[in-house]
């Protein structure tokens, strides 16, 4: 049976292999009526002639829109406004389903339960040891709620509104949170899509990405609690580093009743141990990283990588806060 489905795909990289992407789609047991690819890169996409013929044979309309330099939210908005179908499906260049019946099964689930849509579930792929360390200290092995992999009826998207087009990251989470304001009958997708963006990624590129993303999204309401928590921790650490109790004892001898030996060293060592337990074990296990992977020494790599990413995140939050206060003064 043919359904009225628009597939919207922002493409933000020169390394997007569009022909491979299209091959994946036309092998599905149910294909979309139209595919809208919003190309924001410097690269012009060329479609293989054979693939063009297959798309025509399967009656799939392909529309490639070149919008250089716009952000993901803005790219999705372009696709939404150009789409003609009653169902809107979202993917991106690095996020694809690996089940041929992914779209068919999820759409039948929507129809069977009379749902308004399904929120995407993304599983982050990792092959090498480095990729697994990065995954353990960031996304984890548990599928996360994402816009890529989502399927919604058009009226849901129209009522919820367009994506924030002014920020590079975080607009998808903000959009999903907005859904809660309405009484839509929405559930999670039956099958996750897979994100391959961690392949061949470097530690440095992840640090830059973390800083860039949180610099862009730091003012979003859903991150305010997280931002305040980071600032609170920074205050506590600075307080104990600057305020050494022994300074106020006047004479540093063990006979002084107020003397607390090695209090600063004790605080710092306790803090490091606590951070190691939380970042090296608690959060990874919570995100479905196996304990077996973390021992005997991977938890150290995960902790160190988490610390660097947390530092980048804190710097991004500080930048956002200072920029906001400058604007308010003006």
């Amino acid at each position: 049976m043919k359904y009225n489905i628009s597939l919207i795909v922002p493409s933000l990289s020169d390394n997007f292999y569009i022909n491979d992407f299209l091959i994946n789609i036309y092998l599905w047991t149910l294909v979309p009526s139209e595919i809208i690819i919003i190309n924001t890169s410097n690269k012009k996409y060329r479609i293989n002639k054979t693939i063009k013929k297959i798309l025509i044979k399967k009656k799939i309309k392909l529309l490639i829109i070149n919008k250089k330099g716009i952000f993901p939210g803005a790219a999705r908005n372009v696709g939404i406004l150009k789409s003609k179908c009653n169902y809107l499906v979202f993917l991106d260049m690095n996020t694809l389903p690996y089940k041929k019946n992914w779209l068919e099964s999820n759409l039948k689930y929507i129809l069977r339960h009379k749902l308004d849509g399904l929120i995407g579930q993304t599983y982050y792929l990792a092959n090498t040891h480095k990729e697994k360390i990065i995954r353990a200290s960031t996304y984890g092995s548990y599928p996360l709620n994402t816009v890529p992999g989502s399927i919604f009826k058009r009226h849901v998207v129209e009522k919820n509104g367009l994506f924030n087009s002014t920020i590079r990251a975080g607009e998808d989470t903000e959009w999903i949170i907005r859904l809660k304001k309405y009484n839509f009958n929405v559930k999670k997708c039956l099958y996750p899509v897979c994100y391959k963006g961690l392949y061949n990624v470097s530690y440095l590129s992840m640090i830059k990405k973390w800083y860039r993303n949180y610099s862009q999204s730091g003012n979003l309401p859903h991150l305010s609690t997280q931002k305040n928590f980071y600032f609170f921790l920074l205050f506590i650490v600075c307080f104990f580093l600057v305020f050494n109790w022994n300074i106020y004892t006047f004479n540093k001898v063990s006979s002084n009743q107020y003397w607390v030996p090695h209090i600063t060293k004790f605080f710092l060592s306790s803090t490091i141990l606590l951070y190691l337990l939380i970042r090296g074990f608690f959060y990874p296990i919570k995100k479905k990283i196996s304990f077996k992977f973390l021992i005997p020494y991977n938890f150290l790599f995960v902790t160190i990588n988490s610390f660097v990413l947390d530092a980048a995140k804190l710097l991004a939050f500080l930048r956002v806060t200072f920029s906001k206060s400058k604007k308010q003064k003006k």
Side-chain angles (χ1 to χ4, degrees):
M1 184 177 178
K2 185 74 173 178
Y3 292 95
N4 199 14
I5 302 168
S6 295
L7 173 60
I8 299 170
V9 186
S11 171
L12 313 173
S13 171
D14 293 340
N15 296 322
F16 178 43
Y17 299 105
I18 190 168
N19 291 298
D20 293 343
F21 181 86
L22 294 172
I23 288 171
N24 181 292
I25 292 170
Y26 73 61
L27 290 175
W28 292 355
T29 55
L30 174 66
V31 295
S33 308
E34 62 178 4
I35 302 171
I36 304 172
I37 297 175
I38 305 91
N39 176 23
T40 67
S41 70
N42 297 314
K43 181 180 178 180
K44 289 291 181 71
Y45 297 143
R46 295 180 180 178
I47 312 300
N48 184 283
K49 290 181 179 179
T50 304
I51 293 176
K52 284 182 179 180
K53 290 179 181 178
I54 294 172
L55 293 175
I56 293 170
K57 184 179 179 181
K58 287 185 172 282
K59 297 180 180 179
I60 302 173
K61 179 185 176 182
L62 175 63
L63 178 62
I64 299 176
I65 303 170
N66 296 307
K67 290 283 185 179
K68 182 180 176 182
I70 65 173
F71 292 140
R76 290 193 189 97
N77 292 342
V78 171
I80 290 167
L81 296 173
K82 287 287 183 181
S83 63
K84 305 294 183 184
C85 300
N86 295 327
Y87 286 93
L88 302 182
V89 178
F90 296 96
L91 290 176
D92 69 31
M93 59 181 183
N94 283 319
T95 310
L96 280 171
Y98 284 86
K99 283 182 174 287
K100 292 181 180 179
N101 66 340
W102 174 82
L103 181 56
E104 182 179 17
S105 298
N106 282 312
L107 192 59
K108 285 181 178 179
Y109 183 59
I110 290 174
L111 296 172
R112 185 167 61 250
H113 295 278
K114 298 180 181 179
L115 303 176
D116 292 312
L118 296 172
I119 297 173
Q121 300 291 291
T122 296
Y123 176 78
Y124 292 78
L125 299 173
N127 286 332
T128 67
H129 180 261
K130 178 177 67 176
E131 292 164 8
K132 291 176 181 178
I133 292 294
I134 291 173
R135 182 175 65 179
S137 54
T138 54
Y139 307 107
S141 295
Y142 188 78
L144 302 178
N145 291 347
T146 57
V147 169
S150 296
I151 306 169
F152 295 105
K153 291 181 179 178
R154 175 172 286 278
H155 78 271
V156 173
V157 177
E158 290 176 345
K159 191 167 184 178
N160 200 45
L162 297 175
F163 292 85
N164 188 323
S165 62
T166 62
I167 55 177
R168 174 66 181 81
E171 84 296 333
D172 49 351
T173 303
E174 186 271 336
W175 193 88
I176 291 174
I177 291 172
R178 249 191 284 155
L179 283 172
K180 296 178 181 179
K181 296 179 181 179
Y182 306 99
N183 293 320
F184 294 128
N185 190 7
V186 173
K187 294 187 178 182
K188 295 180 180 180
C189 270
L190 288 177
Y191 303 109
V193 290
C194 295
Y195 176 76
K196 59 180 181 179
L198 293 181
Y199 288 168
N200 299 317
V201 72
S202 67
Y203 290 114
L204 181 60
S205 65
M206 281 300 298
I207 295 167
K208 289 180 178 178
K209 179 179 179 180
W210 234 235
Y211 180 77
R212 179 200 67 196
N213 286 359
Y214 284 100
S215 294
Q216 289 285 330
S217 61
N219 278 327
L220 291 176
H222 70 274
L223 286 177
S224 60
T225 302
Q226 190 176 145
K227 183 167 61 175
N228 291 335
F229 178 71
Y230 270 73
F231 288 163
F232 174 74
L233 289 181
L234 177 64
F235 171 78
I236 294 297
V237 171
C238 290
F239 178 83
F240 276 93
L241 287 175
V242 174
F243 181 79
N244 189 329
W245 176 261
N246 294 329
I247 292 175
Y248 295 91
T249 62
F250 297 105
N251 55 353
K252 299 180 181 180
V253 293
S254 57
S255 60
N256 193 307
Q257 61 178 325
Y258 298 109
W259 173 262
V260 181
H262 308 297
I263 186 172
T264 303
K265 292 178 182 178
F266 175 76
F267 168 76
L268 288 177
S269 59
S270 300
T271 302
I272 292 170
L273 179 61
L274 182 62
Y275 186 87
L276 188 147
L277 291 173
I278 292 173
R279 279 302 197 187
F281 288 101
F282 178 75
Y283 276 135
I285 291 172
K286 185 179 178 182
K287 295 175 182 178
K288 305 301 180 182
I289 301 298
S290 69
F291 182 76
K292 185 178 179 181
F293 172 76
L294 295 172
I295 57 173
Y297 52 80
N298 280 336
F299 74 92
L300 291 173
F301 297 127
V302 172
T303 303
I304 293 168
N305 191 52
S306 297
F307 176 78
V308 176
L309 293 176
D310 281 340
K313 194 173 178 179
L314 176 59
L315 289 173
F317 283 152
L318 288 170
R319 176 187 173 184
V320 168
T321 303
F322 288 138
S323 298
K324 188 177 180 180
S325 61
K326 284 183 179 179
K327 288 180 181 179
Q328 289 175 346
K329 287 180 181 179
K330 291 180 180 178

